[in-house]
């Protein structure tokens, strides 16, 4: 090893030790290869942030993807910088959310009778108000199919189920007994905000979320690298089409699917679990399908510094819904994502969702700014 190379290696090691990997991240990511920064997992001791949070060092990264699997809303790749922040090591769990309910008596969106004004904005203009009798508390539930179907109509495997809520994710006959360490689901954006206020935390921005999800990997296809499987196994809770065709949940096909305990699969480079797979996660930003294109046009080769997202929503790809209907970004995919239909377990994948529409595969995690 030459003197200069040796010195550079020593300086890199010192940088990692002194500043939590920030310089190391920059050093290792200039070349464009999918390299993992040396792991430096910093867990909160309860003084600077609540126990159960992980320090994400922040830095500059390439956001989005130009990969062949990327959707138009993930393009183009553009430069973004985020400050360091604390992030929950896992999704918020059923046990954690139950404590919130116990102390606040909060009533979630799914437990309330739907409000016409919040529904109306998601429908084509002029849609008449339905009779009051149809307004029943409940939520969207994955019900699956009994046989293989054409995948162009998701209404075949989703249904609004009265009585579905965080305690009963699939309907009144379901429960979360023995699932205290599973992600809480059937949570609306408004519910996530209420929980965040109670804890003194906040939802991550979309940029913060993607930076954290990549775990130090530069433009890797997945949160764990460039190959979907590791040693022949899926390293996240996603739908395995080799075992069961999507969206079939008949007993012959292997039964129902759902969330798994939050620390079942390996953590990423920052020590975060389930950043992709298991359950979708709300983030703070409004959703525009063209937001990355807007940023790239505005900045050129410049860097977006701690972007907070657009000021409104725009989604021309959701048929039957007004293009400007209110939507917030969801990230990470879920146990339903698979190679045949939804590949949103990629860290750059993004979608918009009605902030008042909880679903049986949608939860959240929070972040906290350093003191």
């Amino acid at each position: 090893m030459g003197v200069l190379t040796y010195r550079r290696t020593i300086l890199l090691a010192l940088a990692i030790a002194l500043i939590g990997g920030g310089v190391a991240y920059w050093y290792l990511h200039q070349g464009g290869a999918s390299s993992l920064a040396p792991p430096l997992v910093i867990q909160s001791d309860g003084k600077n942030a609540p126990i159960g949070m992980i320090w994400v060092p922040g830095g500059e990264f390439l956001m989005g993807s130009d990969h062949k699997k990327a959707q138009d809303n993930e393009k183009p790749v553009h430069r973004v910088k985020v400050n360091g922040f604390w992030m929950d090591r896992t999704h918020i769990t059923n046990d954690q959310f139950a404590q919130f309910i116990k102390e606040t008596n909060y009533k979630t969106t799914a437990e309330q009778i739907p409000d016409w004004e919040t529904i109306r904005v998601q429908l084509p203009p002029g849609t008449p108000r339905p009779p009051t009798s149809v307004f029943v508390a409940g939520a969207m539930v994955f019900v699956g199919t009994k046989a293989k179907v054409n995948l162009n109509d998701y209404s075949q495997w989703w249904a609004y189920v009265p009585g579905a809520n965080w305690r009963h994710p699939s309907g009144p006959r379901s429960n979360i007994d023995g699932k205290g360490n599973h992600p809480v689901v059937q949570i609306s954006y408004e519910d996530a905000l209420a929980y965040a206020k109670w804890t003194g935390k906040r939802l991550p921005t979309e940029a913060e979320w993607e930076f954290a999800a990549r775990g130090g990997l530069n433009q890797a296809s997945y949160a764990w690298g460039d190959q979907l499987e590791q040693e022949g196994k899926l390293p996240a809770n996603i739908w395995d089409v080799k075992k069961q065709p999507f969206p079939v949940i008949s007993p012959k096909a292997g039964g129902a699917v759902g969330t798994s305990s939050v620390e079942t699969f390996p953590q990423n480079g920052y020590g975060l679990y389930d950043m992709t797979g298991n359950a979708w996660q709300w983030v703070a930003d409004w959703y525009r399908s063209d937001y990355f294109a807007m940023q790239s046009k505005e900045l050129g080769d410049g860097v977006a510094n701690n972007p907070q997202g657009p000021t409104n929503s725009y989604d021309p790809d959701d048929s039957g819904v007004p293009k400007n209907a209110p939507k917030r970004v969801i990230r990470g995919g879920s146990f339903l994502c698979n190679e045949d239909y939804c590949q949103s377990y990629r860290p750059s994948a993004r979608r918009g969702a009605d902030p008042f529409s909880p679903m049986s595969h949608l939860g959240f995690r929070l972040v906290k700014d350093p003191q």
Side-chain angles (χ1 to χ4, degrees), residues 290-305:
D290 60 353
Y291 181 56
F292 287 10
M294 291 171 59
Q295 279 197 304
S296 180
K297 182 178 180 180
E298 178 182 348
L299 296 167
D301 293 331
V303 180
N305 190 24

Side-chain angles (χ1 to χ4, degrees), residues 123-144:
L123 301 173
T127 300
R129 189 185 191 280
T132 303
S133 59
V134 306
F135 290 84
V136 181
M140 295 299 294
V141 171
F142 171 74
V143 295

Side-chain angles (χ1 to χ4, degrees), residues 45 75 95 103 122 140 152 154 158-159 165 169 192 238 248 269 305 319 321 335 338 349 359 362:
D45 59 5
K75 303 175 182 177
D95 279 349
E103 294 190 19
Q122 301 290 337
M140 295 299 294
N152 63 358
Y154 62 81
W158 281 97
N165 55 55
I238 57 180
V248 178
N305 190 24
S319 60
V321 178
F335 59 84
N338 60 85
M359 293 181 281
L362 176 55

Side-chain angles (χ1 to χ4, degrees), residues 188-219:
S188 72
Y189 180 84
E190 298 300 314
D191 298 334
L193 290 183
Y195 184 94
K197 182 178 180 180
W198 177 68
T199 60
K201 302 177 186 178
R202 62 176 175 82
L203 284 169
T205 66
E206 186 172 14
E208 289 172 333
W209 187 94
E210 184 171 327
F211 181 90
R214 292 189 176 280
L217 290 176
N218 180 35
Q219 283 292 295

Side-chain angles (χ1 to χ4, degrees), residues 65-270:
S65 176
D66 290 325
H67 191 274
K68 62 182 180 181
K69 291 187 176 182
Q71 303 296 312
D72 288 343
N73 67 350
E74 303 170 43
K75 303 175 182 177
V77 170
H78 53 291
R79 296 166 61 199
V80 172
K81 181 180 180 180
V82 295
N83 295 336
F85 54 92
W86 294 95
M87 179 174 249
D88 288 328
R89 183 174 67 241
T90 71
H91 288 75
I92 300 303
T93 65
N94 286 317
D95 279 349
Q96 290 173 314
F97 199 77
Q99 187 64 31
F100 162 61
I101 298 299
K102 180 180 179 180
E103 294 190 19
T104 65
N105 293 316
Y106 179 81
K107 196 172 184 179
T108 64
T109 300
E111 296 171 287
Q112 303 177 49
I113 294 176
D115 175 61
W116 169 240
E117 290 305 311
T118 62
I119 296 174
R120 180 180 60 80
V121 295
Q122 301 290 337
L123 301 173
T127 300
R129 189 185 191 280
T132 303
S133 59
V134 306
F135 290 84
V136 181
M140 295 299 294
V141 171
F142 171 74
V143 295
T145 61
K146 294 182 178 180
K148 294 180 69 173
V149 295
N150 189 304
L151 300 180
N152 63 358
D153 180 10
Y154 62 81
S155 67
Q156 297 173 98
W157 55 87
W158 281 97
Y160 185 84
V161 177
N165 55 55
W166 74 274
R167 292 186 180 92
H168 308 285
S170 298
R173 294 185 179 181
S174 66
N175 59 64
I176 54 174
D177 294 349
K179 296 181 178 180
N181 206 33
H182 284 230
V184 64
V185 293
Q186 294 295 12
I187 299 299
S188 72
Y189 180 84
E190 298 300 314
D191 298 334
L193 290 183
Y195 184 94
K197 182 178 180 180
W198 177 68
T199 60
K201 302 177 186 178
R202 62 176 175 82
L203 284 169
T205 66
E206 186 172 14
E208 289 172 333
W209 187 94
E210 184 171 327
F211 181 90
R214 292 189 176 280
L217 290 176
N218 180 35
Q219 283 292 295
S221 299
Y222 308 103
W224 50 85
D226 287 316
Q227 300 300 318
L228 177 61
E229 295 186 356
Q230 289 189 330
E231 299 180 354
K233 297 180 180 180
L234 294 173
N237 182 14
I238 57 180
W239 190 294
D240 190 346
V241 293
K242 294 180 180 178
K243 297 179 179 179
Q244 183 173 335
F246 180 82
V248 178
I249 59 170
S250 68
K252 182 178 179 181
V257 293
T259 57
S260 59
S261 181
V262 293
E263 295 183 355
T264 300
F265 296 89
Q267 57 194 359
N268 74 359
Y270 293 138

